[in-house]
Amino acid sequence: MSTPRMHADELDLDAPLVRRLIARRFPHWSALPVRRLASWGTENAMFRLGGELVVRLPRHPGAVPDLAHERRWLPLLGPRLPVAVPEPVGAGEPDEDFPWPWSVYRWLAGTNPVAGAVEQPELLAEELGLFVRALRRVEADGAPTGYRGGPLPERDEPTRAAIAELGDRVDARAVTALWERAAAAPEHGGPPAWAHGDLSPGNVLVDGGRLGAVIDFGCAGVGDPAVDLMPAWNLLPASVRGVFREAAGADDAEWARGRGWALSVALIQLPYYWDTNPALAENSRHVIAEILTEAG
């Protein structure tokens, strides 16, 4: 299965490679069929292993630390959350065919929702909000700083650079004004709290319209939990944003920062993935359009 290269330094990964890795590291699984999965993912490649397992391999060196991060923290977080999260069941190690660690997880059923086509939007909004609230309540002492755990204004330079790079592909004046308004919101005043850090449609699984699982905890850590309000604009329709906000327990300042996080992430991702990840680029355009519409 051919997939586009999203990073200059990423490796070519395919099913025969995964079969060799499994045969050497986990021979008891060597008879299971292997097939590559289509994915929104930009950092890791996913391969279905039989009916109950999935193999996750870093695409490039920058994704390698996420594997160890998930192995360390998912066993702590999983039992404290109201929906399923990935469960590591095998730790692959570097060898002559693959230079980095890799992991085997239990398979989680479900499909990625599509912004603008959510089957049960009010129910999904409430369940996502309750997931965010539950994650915030997990003990934060000794936890790592989240990949997106710092103050929102720290993203000012890359956000403005992305706006400049996009040129006339966005309304630069309007998105700059919205970004400046979000960056001026009061900063997080409470203690650091756990956040997933990348609650995009590609990291949410739904089953029958309900939230079935949340995946990819490579960005998870503590900081300003407003980052986990991004689904209000990258997934949920405007009509149920209030349901999500109430379930998550976000105040006005936090909501403003969450909108800023959604806008900044979309603006930075859009030029980078414009050609290499059409689904992610389209979702970024969706986020920008939703925030512009909301602002009138």
Side-chain angles (χ1 to χ4, degrees):
M1 177 179 179
S2 176
T3 57
R5 189 177 283 269
M6 281 179 273
H7 310 278
D9 56 351
E10 73 176 71
L11 297 183
D12 292 322
L13 306 174
D14 56 23
L17 167 66
V18 175
R19 291 190 193 99
R20 294 195 300 273
L21 295 175
I22 291 293
R24 284 196 292 267
R25 179 66 175 165
F26 304 109
H28 53 291
W29 290 331
S30 61
L32 297 175
V34 175
R35 64 179 176 89
R36 186 161 188 162
L37 300 173
S39 170
W40 287 51
T42 63
E43 302 297 294
N44 299 277
M46 307 285 285
F47 293 82
R48 187 81 181 263
L49 179 62
E52 303 297 327
L53 303 170
V54 63
V55 181
R56 190 163 181 249
L57 298 91
R59 288 176 176 262
H60 65 107
V64 174
D66 292 354
L67 272 293
H69 184 77
E70 287 196 330
R71 290 178 190 173
R72 169 67 179 86
W73 295 105
L74 279 171
L76 168 74
L77 296 173
R80 293 164 172 80
L81 298 175
V83 297
V85 301
E87 179 187 350
V89 295
E93 300 302 332
D95 67 10
E96 62 267 27
D97 275 348
F98 190 72
W100 309 313
W102 48 280
S103 291
V104 181
Y105 298 84
R106 295 203 186 281
W107 175 254
L108 292 171
T111 59
N112 296 127
V114 177
V118 177
E119 185 178 341
Q120 297 193 59
E122 186 167 347
L123 181 58
L124 183 59
E126 181 177 13
E127 291 177 338
L128 271 171
L130 293 175
F131 167 83
V132 169
R133 188 187 287 260
L135 184 53
R136 294 177 177 190
R137 290 174 173 167
V138 177
E139 175 59 51
D141 286 350
T145 300
Y147 173 71
R148 293 172 175 150
L152 187 60
E154 291 181 356
R155 297 177 64 85
D156 188 65
E157 183 176 346
T159 301
R160 291 179 187 274
I163 294 170
E165 185 177 356
L166 284 164
D168 61 5
R169 290 180 286 183
V170 296
D171 184 337
R173 179 177 295 182
V175 297
T176 299
L178 289 171
W179 166 246
E180 290 174 347
R181 186 186 308 170
E187 293 188 6
H188 178 56
W194 271 99
H196 178 278
D198 194 17
L199 282 181
S200 64
N203 290 331
V204 171
L205 296 177
V206 295
D207 189 3
R210 304 198 62 165
L211 180 62
V214 176
I215 61 175
D216 195 347
F217 281 69
C219 293
V222 301
D224 179 4
V227 66
D228 275 355
L229 300 177
M230 292 193 293
W233 299 274
N234 71 24
L235 175 58
L236 299 169
S239 60
V240 298
R241 284 181 192 141
V243 175
F244 173 68
R245 177 177 175 175
E246 182 176 357
D251 61 24
D252 289 347
E254 188 174 24
W255 192 249
R257 294 195 307 275
R259 185 187 298 108
W261 273 107
L263 180 62
S264 176
V265 170
L267 288 167
I268 292 171
Q269 287 182 340
L270 184 53
Y272 191 86
Y273 294 119
W274 187 278
D275 297 314
T276 59
N277 192 320
L280 195 53
E282 177 57 32
N283 188 254
S284 295
R285 286 189 286 268
H286 171 84
V287 170
I288 295 166
E290 286 293 303
I291 292 175
L292 285 170
T293 299
E294 186 179 61

